[in-house]
Amino acid sequence: MKFKQNIRGNLALGVNPVGCRQEVLNQIDYVKSKGHYEAPKKVLIIGASSSYGLATRISLAFGAGADTIGVSFEKGPKSERNLGTAGWYNNIAFREAAEKEGLVAKNFVTDAFSHDAKQEVIDYIKNEFGGKVDLVVYSLASGRRTDPDTGETYTSSIKAIGDQVVGPNINMQKEEFFTDTLEPATEQEIADTVKVMGGEDWELWMKALKDADVLSEGVLTTNYSYLGTELNRPYYGGGTLGQAKADCDVKADNINKLLADINGKAQIVVATAVTTKASSVIPFFIVYCIGLYKVMSEKGTHETPIMHQDRIYRDMIYGDNPEYDDEGRLRPDSWELDKDTQAETKELIMKLNEDNFNTDMTAYDLFYKEFSNLSGFMVDNYVDEDITINELKSWEY
Ligand code: NAI
């Protein structure tokens, strides 16, 4: 079977399962090349199948020897035309590689927002995972959430707040640079985005885990945020997504109170801008990234999710170099926010137009490659394999 890359707008529809496996192996190699570090050995990752969550899982398993439980919402293969999602194959590749090293790697493919998912994971921790977890990573990104108590489904919007935003955007399918407009959100849309991407479900998870007594003394829970800069504030930090991230700060305080008696801690990690399925659909964001990555590549500070997450856990959280802000948030995004980096990115972005956005002036090619890698295309060390749909269907997560 031939695997075909299929992009609609900035959405990746095609998947190469063999390439996904190779990409997971490449990330494992990166972590192994850095050697071992000391970190918790029993970890739950909610949103574990791609980008930041997957990178976290790979770093902790292959860098620190952690047993991991991964929760994700992915689809398996149905037919040659419908091969499912990349995260499905990432889960399989991760489990196979981890088990080869004698590590536990349990995958739950389920709706993390539901009560059932929480109960299933709790039962597994109690019955088969040694009874407790030391670290809970919350790395969900979703466009929809069904409230588990009311059954009502909410949809998040990526919109500005207050004024309309007009600016340059990129369509990767058509390799086109165009002027886009982002409308301001209604109050309802803001509230719904907070309901989906805010911290409510994170807090529900931590409450359920605490009530079930499956959290170790001194447990840590992390949640990835983004603050950005004046270059993307109108549509990100100052928009609906920014409101959702601010809600996570509030919920972190609640969780800190909840965990006080077991000396637990909720840690907001303000992560750097990276190429992920979630970030590729944020209007204007690709333009920022292709400028930023160009500048950061030249300075030697550009990171992919695996580089960033490995640095966060190895050097910062469980290492000697954490950087916190006045609000107590961890700030690995300091490389992105560096004054010179931002000034040079701004200067570069201002010069972009339809004739030069995809030339050597920018990191368009790098962004496109990283975007393709997410679906198993353009992967380093890739070797073609002839695989049938029935073989793919027999792969177990
Ligand atoms: P992603 O789209 O690559 O991964 C999202 C994960 O959530 C996947 O494992 C997916 O299966 C899982 N998921 C989605 N809905 C689910 C559900 N209902 N039940 C179970 N699992 C579900 O997202 P990405 O970009 O890695 O984002 C993770 C977090 O990092 C988000 O909070 C995001 O805001 C944050 N972040 C992202 C940055 C970026 O530049 N991409 C920058 C800073 C923070």
Side-chain angles (χ1 to χ4, degrees):
M1 190 189 342
K2 281 270 164 267
F3 303 115
K4 218 173 135 260
Q5 188 164 13
N6 179 6
I7 301 175
R8 190 171 308 149
N10 293 328
L11 263 185
L13 300 179
V15 61
N16 182 335
V18 179
C20 288
R21 183 175 62 204
Q22 187 58 48
E23 178 56 25
V24 168
L25 295 176
N26 290 348
Q27 293 187 33
I28 292 172
D29 283 348
Y30 172 81
V31 170
K32 284 186 168 175
S33 75
K34 298 268 166 183
H36 180 81
Y37 66 100
E38 281 306 320
K41 297 284 184 277
K42 294 284 177 184
V43 182
L44 165 61
I45 296 146
I46 303 155
S49 59
S50 55
S51 305
Y52 269 157
L54 174 65
T56 307
R57 194 179 192 189
I58 290 174
S59 175
L60 289 160
F62 293 92
D67 290 334
T68 56
I69 300 171
V71 182
S72 62
F73 200 58
E74 303 292 346
K75 292 200 180 82
K78 291 212 160 42
S79 66
E80 287 199 11
R81 285 173 62 86
N82 182 356
L83 295 179
T85 54
W88 176 271
Y89 299 101
N90 294 340
N91 282 338
I92 294 169
F94 175 86
R95 182 188 54 72
E96 285 179 354
E99 286 178 352
K100 263 193 202 152
E101 310 240 337
L103 300 170
V104 176
K106 175 71 179 171
N107 291 319
F108 286 92
V109 176
T110 177
D111 178 10
F113 296 128
S114 68
H115 289 313
D116 285 355
K118 295 173 178 77
Q119 193 55 51
E120 260 187 277
V121 170
I122 286 167
D123 290 344
Y124 178 78
I125 296 172
K126 280 192 168 164
N127 302 328
E128 294 175 62
F129 202 64
K132 306 251 184 202
V133 290
D134 320 303
L135 171 64
V136 180
V137 177
Y138 192 87
S139 185
L140 272 201
S142 176
R144 308 176 83 209
R145 172 174 172 228
T146 300
D147 184 301
D149 293 321
T150 63
E152 198 173 331
T153 298
Y154 297 86
T155 305
S156 67
S157 324
I158 305 172
K159 288 200 171 176
I161 293 179
D163 295 321
Q164 196 184 56
V165 179
V166 179
N169 200 359
I170 287 170
N171 177 321
M172 287 191 285
Q173 179 191 3
K174 298 184 180 155
E175 207 166 332
E176 223 172 59
F177 188 89
F178 66 102
T179 300
D180 208 351
T181 305
L182 195 62
E183 296 302 332
T186 62
E187 286 302 321
Q188 189 61 50
E189 286 170 327
I190 298 170
D192 289 358
T193 305
V194 170
K195 187 88 184 166
V196 178
M197 284 295 287
E200 189 175 270
D201 182 59
W202 181 31
E203 189 177 354
L204 286 176
W205 266 99
M206 295 314 295
K207 269 192 185 141
L209 295 165
K210 171 94 191 307
D211 287 349
D213 194 24
V214 294
L215 298 176
S216 301
E217 170 78 19
V219 68
L220 178 72
T221 179
T222 51
N223 185 324
Y224 304 134
S225 187
Y226 185 75
L227 290 178
T229 68
E230 53 146 339
L231 294 180
N232 50 38
R233 195 152 296 131
Y235 59 87
Y236 204 140
T240 48
L241 283 177
Q243 290 291 305
K245 292 300 178 195
D247 182 64
C248 292
D249 291 346
V250 174
K251 298 305 190 299
D253 290 342
N254 297 350
I255 297 170
N256 274 322
K257 287 185 195 119
L258 174 80
L259 302 181
D261 63 332
I262 54 168
N263 293 311
K265 185 180 173 192
Q267 180 66 63
I268 295 288
V269 177
V270 187
T272 197
V274 285
T275 314
T276 71
K277 285 193 176 175
S279 66
S280 302
V281 293
I282 299 174
F284 320 116
F285 197 58
I286 301 182
V287 177
Y288 171 72
C289 288
I290 65 172
L292 178 77
Y293 293 4
K294 180 70 182 178
V295 172
M296 290 184 81
S297 295
E298 279 168 4
K299 291 186 188 299
T301 54
H302 173 64
E303 292 177 301
T304 55
I306 191 64
M307 295 162 89
H308 195 58
Q309 291 300 338
D310 192 67
R311 181 163 68 86
I312 288 170
Y313 288 89
R314 179 188 298 273
D315 299 345
M316 300 187 100
I317 297 180
Y318 300 112
D320 299 330
N321 295 308
E323 284 172 54
Y324 296 100
D325 63 18
D326 294 344
E327 259 99 315
R329 296 174 295 213
L330 193 75
R331 299 307 298 265
D333 64 334
S334 58
W335 294 3
E336 174 186 350
L337 266 47
D338 167 70
K339 263 206 177 96
D340 289 349
T341 299
Q342 284 298 314
E344 289 168 40
T345 301
K346 184 174 181 179
E347 201 187 321
L348 176 53
I349 292 175
M350 302 293 272
K351 289 186 200 148
L352 297 186
N353 57 46
E354 61 271 28
D355 296 323
N356 63 19
F357 78 97
N358 52 358
T359 65
D360 282 354
M361 239 176 100
T362 73
Y364 179 82
D365 287 351
L366 177 63
F367 189 95
Y368 189 81
K369 178 176 187 289
E370 291 179 356
F371 175 79
S372 303
N373 287 171
L374 296 169
S375 307
F377 296 98
M378 297 176 79
V379 172
D380 293 337
N381 311 317
Y382 175 73
V383 181
D384 211 8
E385 268 177 51
D386 199 13
I387 291 199
T388 65
I389 181 68
N390 286 335
E391 282 170 299
L392 282 184
K393 282 183 179 172
S394 72
W395 291 7
E396 281 176 32
Y397 70 79

